[in-house]
Amino acid sequence: MKKIALLFLMLCLCFGCQSQNNNSQLDMYQQIVDHLQQRQEFVSSYPCQIEVIFNPIEDYFRYDVIIHQATKDMYNIKAVAYVDNSLDESYPSLGVFDEEEYHLKVNYVDKTHNYYKGVQLSGTCQKEGTVKLYLSYFADEQKTKQIEKYIEVNK
């Protein structure tokens, strides 16, 4: 009986830690979305190419934000895309809720170790327009220098 009680206690602790981690990720995501909604100033330089493509689908649009062709190494990328007229209840994100990390390294691809040529965020909206993008990454593999950028991308 003691073993069952101990096992139950351990399971409760494991699920409690997981729930707390999910809450902190959700809080971070919501804070990023709030900043994107209110943001009026954006940077114009970043270490990669970023483009947005709108594709019409019946009476709405699918948008794809493509982050690729890094000119500097970017480790543990986190990104959130925001549009004013979104049809989704949440906004597309990368690296915020994911267990794995995403990296872009100049002229290097190794998908088994999460190094990609490019990454993409997709969502749906009512009409073509501007996409606001939060982009965070580390400039070094040791993750000592974090860089955050707020970017506005037009078609």
Side-chain angles (χ1 to χ4, degrees), residues 14-53:
C14 289
F15 286 117
C17 291
Q18 181 69 24
S19 174
Q20 189 175 31
N21 189 30
N22 287 343
N23 285 340
S24 89
Q25 291 170 325
L26 189 58
D27 290 344
M28 179 177 67
Y29 169 81
Q30 190 56 54
Q31 185 178 33
I32 292 168
V33 170
D34 291 345
H35 282 120
L36 285 169
Q37 289 172 333
Q38 299 166 7
R39 194 89 176 176
Q40 298 298 318
E41 295 182 20
F42 301 92
V43 298
S44 58
S45 66
Y46 25 88
C48 56
Q49 286 192 6
I50 300 174
E51 54 190 291
V52 63
I53 299 169

Side-chain angles (χ1 to χ4, degrees), residues 83-141:
V83 292
D84 284 329
N85 56 11
S86 177
L87 294 174
D88 304 316
E89 290 184 21
S90 61
Y91 301 97
S93 67
L94 177 81
V96 177
F97 299 104
D98 303 311
E99 299 258 335
E100 63 187 62
E101 296 181 354
Y102 300 90
H103 315 293
L104 297 181
K105 192 170 181 175
V106 179
N107 298 322
Y108 182 77
V109 174
D110 181 358
K111 293 179 183 177
T112 60
H113 293 101
N114 302 327
Y115 287 90
Y116 299 95
K117 184 176 182 177
V119 293
Q120 175 178 320
L121 294 92
S122 300
T124 57
C125 59
Q126 296 172 351
K127 60 183 180 179
E128 294 182 42
T130 300
V131 177
K132 295 179 180 181
L133 178 69
Y134 167 81
L135 179 64
S136 168
Y137 60 92
F138 287 92
D140 59 333
E141 255 183 297

